[in-house]
Amino acid sequence: VGIDCVGGVGSVGATGASNDKAQILQNSKPSKSVRLWQTASLKLSSSTSSQNWSEDLMVMYKIHSSKGDNVKVSIRISNQSGDTEFRNAIIKFDGSNDIQFNNISPGEQVEGGKIGPYPSSTSELKGTFEFFGGSAQIKLTFISSLRLSPLVLQQDQVSQMLSSGQWPSYSAKVSNSGEMEDSKLKSGLIQFLTAAEVGSGGMANDTNYMLASSSTDGSPVIILVKMSKKGIKIDVKSTDKKLAKAVSAELKRVYI
């Protein structure tokens, strides 16, 4: 299955579907919306304490479009412990200015501004978190959706596409604190995945819906979102197995 694109408009190919057009919004930017935080990976490097304090520390980040084909990154630190204070806290990344947080008290959440710009082709960013008493390695993974474009489809087109060819599927379960309205969460997912909502003939809602994107090589990505009191279940399907797996893994890092 592929998307044949000429002048930003493509047709769904090799699916047995009709000649209905699927519009690829190349180089378009979603309207300003909620940006979702992701959690960085954290690995303890050194500590003067026997306590594994890294379990009490959460480093989060957001990726923002910048001038040209670049992105910037916002950083936030959350101290989830009940008694540990991270004194003289600092984050260091190669090629960027250090981010100084000073003291982070138990239960406190602190934002450290933006770093960058970095090329959007960057796959990951490594650095260190240091404070008085220890350090940890951190890794930020840049999302595959930076290389996606919104794909405008109708529900009947998606049904025809999925009925033909191979569509490897991966699932992600995301915890939902309930602090964000369903409509804002949907807007955030659309922005995060560089996607468009699949048309549903006026039956759209904010708890069960489909999104669609297309990769730079024309591989379509279909995302099915289902919300419940237990959280959010997201199924990612694509003719590109590696891409579906990567997008699913990125969704698992989303913090809501």
Side-chain angles (χ1 to χ4, degrees), residues 6 23 58 61 69 82 92 108 113 118 127 130 137 155 160 181 193-195 199 214 249:
V6 179
Q23 184 180 7
M58 181 180 290
Y61 62 102
D69 192 25
K92 298 180 179 180
E108 187 177 14
Y118 302 97
E130 301 175 2
Q137 299 173 352
Q155 204 167 68
Q160 292 178 39
E181 295 178 4
L193 295 163
T194 322
S214 176

Side-chain angles (χ1 to χ4, degrees), residues 29 61-75 91-99 112-128 138-143 146-147:
K29 294 182 180 180
Y61 62 102
K62 288 182 182 180
I63 297 177
H64 308 262
S65 298
S66 185
K67 293 181 180 179
D69 192 25
N70 295 313
V71 295
K72 289 188 176 183
V73 185
S74 296
I75 301 293
I91 287 182
K92 298 180 179 180
F93 290 107
D94 291 338
S96 294
N97 293 330
D98 296 346
I99 306 174
K114 293 180 182 178
I115 56 173
Y118 302 97
S120 62
S121 58
T122 304
S123 59
E124 61 183 32
L125 185 62
K126 294 182 178 180
T128 57
I138 58 176
K139 183 173 72 173
L140 316 183
T141 302
F142 281 35
I143 54 180
L146 289 173
R147 293 171 285 282

